[in-house]
Amino acid sequence: MSHTSSRIAVVGGGPAGLAAAEVLAAAGAGVDLFDAMPSLGRKFLMAGRGGLNLTHSEPLERFLARYGERQAELAPLVRNYPAQALCDWAQGLGVETFVGTSGRVFPREMKAAPLLRAWVHRLRANGVATHARHRWTGWDDAGRLRFATPDGEATHPARAVILALGGGSWAKLGSDGAWVGVLAARGVDVAPLKPANCGFEIGWSDFFRGKFAGAPIKNVQARCTAADGTTLQRRGEFVASEHGVEGSLIYALSAALRGQIERGGQAALTLDLLPDRSPERVLADVAHPRGARSLSSHLQSRVGIAGVKAALLRELLDKDAMHDAEVLARAIKALPLVLKAARPIDEAISSAGGVRFEALDDHFMLTQLPGVFCAGEMLDWEAPTGGYLLTGCIASGRATAQGVLRWLQS
C-alpha cells in the first residue's frame, strides 16, 4: 500500500468504521472515511427502525459469554469499552438511554437517526473527511486504494488503512461481502461467510403457511444442542414465517442450529409451549374429561393452548397423537421441530465468518498486508441480537484504531 499520504483511511461507514474514525481524530490524526452508499450508517439506521438496541445491561461476564467461540478474542475489546461506556458515549452526543424490561438498552427516543446525525456531525467537526459513493475495489500497482465512484475510478494513498466493510448480510445497504475475494487473493485467511441471527426453513403445509405465516408464537421455551453437546435453552418468542421460523428466540440459538445443519443436514429444536406449567399439570389438564366439547375448545379452556400454538400441534402431530392425552401432553412440553436449512445470508441480520483473528497481529493488522487493519463484523465472530453485535462492532472499531496509533508510533 502507498504511504505517500500522512492521512489514515477508514473504509466502511458503519458503527465499527465510525468508531475507529472517532478514536483516530481524537488523537489528532487526519482521517478520510469512505463508504459505498450515498450516506453513512445505512445498515445502522435500518437496524434501529424498530428501536435501536444499543447494548445490554446484564452482568459483564454473562455479556461476554454471548460471543461464543470467539469470546477470548472479543472479551478484551468489550472489557475496554463495556455497556456503560457506550451509554456514556451516547450521553455525550446528547442521546439519553434507558434500560428496557428485557435488560436491553435503548435511546430514549427509540431511534437511530438522531444518534447517527450527532455522531457524524461531531466526526466532521473533528476534521474527519467523509467520502460517500466510494466502493472499495482493492489496490492499484502503486499500493493506493481503488474506489469505484459515480465519476469513474478514484485512487487514494494512505499512511494506514482500516477496513470496516461489514459482513455479508443486507447487501442492498452495503454489506455485500465483496471484499472477501479481494483479501483472499492477497493471501488473507478468510472464513466463509455464513448467515447469523437468521431464520430457518421447515416446510410447512400449505394450510399452515397460508393461515399462520407471520404469526407470533409467544411465551415459549426453546431448546437445542450445541456442538460440544451442551444443552442451550432460551425463553421468549418467535415468528412462524412463510418458510419456517424466525425472530429473536430463534436468532439467540441460530449459531448452534446452523452448526447442527452443517454437521448432519438438519437441526432439532424442541419447544415447550407452556413453560410456566409442569409436565404433570399439563397431563392432568389434557386428560381431564372434556365431555361434549371439541378438542380445540378443551385445549383452549383447560390447557390455554389456542391459535397458532394449537395449529403447531396439529401441523406436527398426527390424528392419533392429538387424541392420546399422554402423547399430546408430552408434545406440548417438548414439541420437536426439524429445521432443514438456514435462510439465505442476505436475509440474515448479521453474518458469521470473515477475516480470522489468526490472520491479524496484536494491532489488528493483517500479517499479509502491513499497514492494513480490520475491524467490526468483517472479522470472524458472531453474537446474538440484544445489543451484543453493536457493542462488539464499536468496541472492535475503537480497539483497531488504537492498534493503528500504536503501530504508527512504533
Side-chain angles (χ1 to χ4, degrees), residues 271-360:
L271 296 180
D272 183 346
L273 299 180
L274 293 175
D276 293 322
R277 297 197 192 193
S278 68
E280 295 76 17
R281 165 77 186 280
V282 171
L283 176 58
D285 288 338
V286 171
H288 190 276
R290 58 186 172 95
R293 287 184 302 176
S294 67
L295 178 59
S296 295
S297 297
H298 177 65
L299 287 176
Q300 182 170 358
S301 62
R302 190 80 194 181
V303 188
I305 293 286
V308 66
K309 286 187 177 181
L312 263 180
L313 291 168
R314 295 186 182 279
E315 176 77 1
L316 299 171
L317 301 178
D318 60 27
K319 186 176 181 180
D320 290 341
M322 287 294 296
H323 287 84
D324 184 318
E326 290 191 7
V327 174
L328 180 55
R330 284 198 301 270
I332 289 171
K333 292 298 290 179
L335 184 65
L337 297 183
V338 177
L339 312 182
K340 300 177 180 178
R343 290 297 297 162
I345 191 170
D346 199 45
E347 294 181 12
I349 290 177
S350 59
S351 60
V355 175
R356 299 184 196 272
F357 283 85
E358 294 77 8
L360 306 170

Side-chain angles (χ1 to χ4, degrees), residues 48 58 76 88 100 121 127 144 159 169 175 177 183 207 279 320 326 344 374:
E58 68 185 359
D88 293 342
H121 176 76
R144 295 171 299 190
R159 190 179 180 196
S169 65
S175 296
L183 294 187
F207 172 81
D320 290 341
E326 290 191 7
C374 293

Side-chain angles (χ1 to χ4, degrees), residues 113-348:
L115 188 150
L116 181 62
R117 280 196 302 268
W119 196 2
V120 173
H121 176 76
R122 189 164 72 182
L123 288 173
R124 289 172 174 157
N126 288 343
V128 175
T130 59
H131 309 270
R133 294 187 174 90
H134 276 62
R135 182 175 297 278
W136 180 69
T137 58
W139 294 270
D140 67 9
D141 292 340
R144 295 171 299 190
L145 295 167
R146 296 174 60 191
F147 296 95
T149 79
D151 299 321
E153 182 174 284
T155 59
H156 184 87
R159 190 179 180 196
V161 177
I162 294 178
L163 299 178
L165 294 160
S169 65
W170 296 18
K172 66 182 181 181
L173 299 180
S175 296
D176 58 9
W179 54 266
V180 171
V182 179
L183 294 187
R186 296 273 182 145
V188 177
D189 189 6
V190 181
L193 298 182
K194 305 172 184 179
N197 291 297
C198 58
F200 292 86
E201 297 179 4
I202 289 180
W204 302 123
S205 67
D206 290 341
F207 172 81
F208 185 90
R209 183 187 306 110
K211 191 163 185 179
F212 294 100
I217 302 170
K218 299 184 177 182
N219 191 25
V220 296
Q221 190 161 273
R223 185 173 73 249
C224 70
T225 303
D228 62 2
T230 58
T231 298
L232 302 178
Q233 196 162 274
R234 298 284 188 274
R235 186 164 172 171
E237 65 181 78
F238 67 96
V239 173
S241 69
E242 180 181 357
H243 303 285
V245 291
E246 61 183 38
S248 58
L249 183 58
I250 303 301
Y251 301 156
L253 301 170
S254 63
L257 295 170
R258 188 189 66 233
Q260 284 190 36
I261 293 171
E262 290 171 352
R263 293 188 300 272
Q266 63 182 33
L269 180 69
T270 303
L271 296 180
D272 183 346
L273 299 180
L274 293 175
D276 293 322
R277 297 197 192 193
S278 68
E280 295 76 17
R281 165 77 186 280
V282 171
L283 176 58
D285 288 338
V286 171
H288 190 276
R290 58 186 172 95
R293 287 184 302 176
S294 67
L295 178 59
S296 295
S297 297
H298 177 65
L299 287 176
Q300 182 170 358
S301 62
R302 190 80 194 181
V303 188
I305 293 286
V308 66
K309 286 187 177 181
L312 263 180
L313 291 168
R314 295 186 182 279
E315 176 77 1
L316 299 171
L317 301 178
D318 60 27
K319 186 176 181 180
D320 290 341
M322 287 294 296
H323 287 84
D324 184 318
E326 290 191 7
V327 174
L328 180 55
R330 284 198 301 270
I332 289 171
K333 292 298 290 179
L335 184 65
L337 297 183
V338 177
L339 312 182
K340 300 177 180 178
R343 290 297 297 162
I345 191 170
D346 199 45
E347 294 181 12

